[in-house]
Amino acid sequence: MSATPVYITIAGSDCSAGAGLQADLKAGFALGCYPLTAVTCVVNEIPGCVEGIVPMEADFVAAQLRLCLSSFPVQAIKTGMLYSPDIVRAVVAELRGFSGAVVVDPVMIATAGEALILQEAIAVYEQELIPHTTLLTPNLDELARLCNCAPIHTFERMQQHACQLCEKYGCAILAKGGHLEGNICIDLLVQPGGKLQSWSHPRTEGVSTHGTGCTLSSAITAWLAHGLPLDAAVEKGLAYVANAIATSHRLGDIDALNHHGE
Ligand code: PXL
């Protein structure tokens, strides 16, 4: 029997377990990998309501990463919520010398609009982390922020800006068009050299999709850890998330939970 692929997720903890490292663990185990974790912060939240964020010391994030990298045969690494400039820098320092795939989900804003990153960390992503990245997975807000442009609502502008980022950083971009105009969601993969591929599906209404970004980047990382080429890993990652949404279950009335205490 071949060995179980190992990857590391560098991410925050979501106590409601829909996003963050809890989502990463679920996707990683479901797809036959062993996901290790380097915890960056603990987020006290439920879908739609972030009550508090406690970051780890950057040196301790680096220490977790160093110990995992020196103790296990790590095939791939995924980053999620990194939060502060110091944590981004500490991660970059530990990534030097790692030769596997690095998937960066540039987590910036929670679904309800709360910041999951300190603004000063964005420049460190741009200058230090993205140049080490194999695949960057921005949603439309993150793509607009990284391109310093107006909000993006159309497929044409999403493609234009994804191509621009791919050229600027020399890494593949998976632009997630879950919130484009109309009822169709289109995800676009742009690879260095100019190869473009897209996948589309109708928008699913009425489902709490908290954590889909984390789940997708983790599922793609899992398939890369299995040894699949990038486009196949993206395609299978998207299929995994589509199935997770189609078979999702409600745990309670989140809208009511969001108004607790009012
Ligand atoms: O979905 C983005 C995200 C990533 N990481 C953590 C989160 C969230 C969203 O709330 O809590 C830890």
Side-chain angles (χ1 to χ4, degrees):
M1 225 177 77
S2 60
T4 302
V6 176
Y7 71 92
I8 306 177
T9 168
I10 310 170
S13 165
D14 163 10
C15 66
S16 66
L21 65 86
Q22 288 84 354
D24 295 337
L25 289 174
K26 285 185 273 185
F29 284 118
L31 295 175
C33 289
Y34 193 91
L36 305 167
T37 55
V39 182
T40 58
C41 43
V42 176
V43 184
N44 187 24
E45 67 173 322
I46 56 173
C49 172
V50 175
E51 288 208 347
I53 298 173
V54 176
M56 303 294 297
E57 279 177 24
D59 284 350
F60 204 66
V61 176
Q64 296 171 71
L65 204 44
R66 211 155 42 238
L67 188 57
C68 286
L69 278 169
S70 61
S71 310
F72 298 96
V74 176
Q75 315 284 335
I77 294 180
K78 172 222 145 137
T79 74
M81 179 178 175
L82 299 181
Y83 188 64
S84 74
D86 285 353
I87 294 177
V88 182
R89 271 189 211 104
V91 166
V92 172
E94 298 307 320
L95 286 182
R96 289 183 214 289
F98 178 71
S99 57
V102 177
V103 176
V104 170
D105 181 7
V107 172
M108 294 184 188
I109 308 168
T111 322
E114 294 96 341
L116 296 175
I117 189 169
L118 297 177
Q119 289 309 301
E120 316 85 83
I122 297 177
V124 190
Y125 262 86
E126 293 173 321
Q127 289 155 20
E128 300 186 34
L129 180 56
I130 303 179
H132 285 278
T133 298
T134 311
L135 174 70
L136 181 71
T137 64
N139 62 24
L140 294 176
D141 288 337
E142 292 154 355
L143 183 60
R145 179 65 187 77
L146 291 170
C147 292
N148 243 324
C149 68
I152 298 169
H153 303 293
T154 63
F155 179 76
E156 289 66 29
R157 286 199 55 232
M158 178 171 97
Q159 177 166 326
Q160 173 200 340
H161 289 292
C163 290
Q164 182 189 322
L165 273 195
C166 176
E167 208 153 285
K168 179 170 177 191
Y169 293 108
C171 69
I173 310 291
L174 177 65
K176 298 176 291 189
H179 295 101
L180 289 170
E181 282 168 2
N183 338 319
I184 301 291
C185 305
I186 310 177
D187 300 304
L188 172 70
L189 176 64
V190 183
Q191 296 195 58
K195 186 174 178 193
L196 300 180
Q197 285 162 282
S198 63
W199 295 267
S200 60
H201 58 91
R203 179 165 302 124
T204 313
E205 302 292 350
V207 171
S208 167
T209 51
H210 174 77
T212 46
C214 306
T215 303
L216 174 61
S217 53
S218 217
I220 295 170
T221 310
W223 286 116
L224 290 172
H226 275 287
L228 261 59
L230 185 64
D231 44 7
V234 167
E235 182 158 311
K236 284 173 91 68
L238 288 166
Y240 176 76
V241 173
N243 183 60
I245 292 173
T247 58
S248 69
H249 44 258
R250 282 185 81 86
L251 290 178
D253 188 343
I254 294 291
D255 289 336
L257 289 172
N258 280 341
H259 295 105
H260 65 115
E262 282 178 11

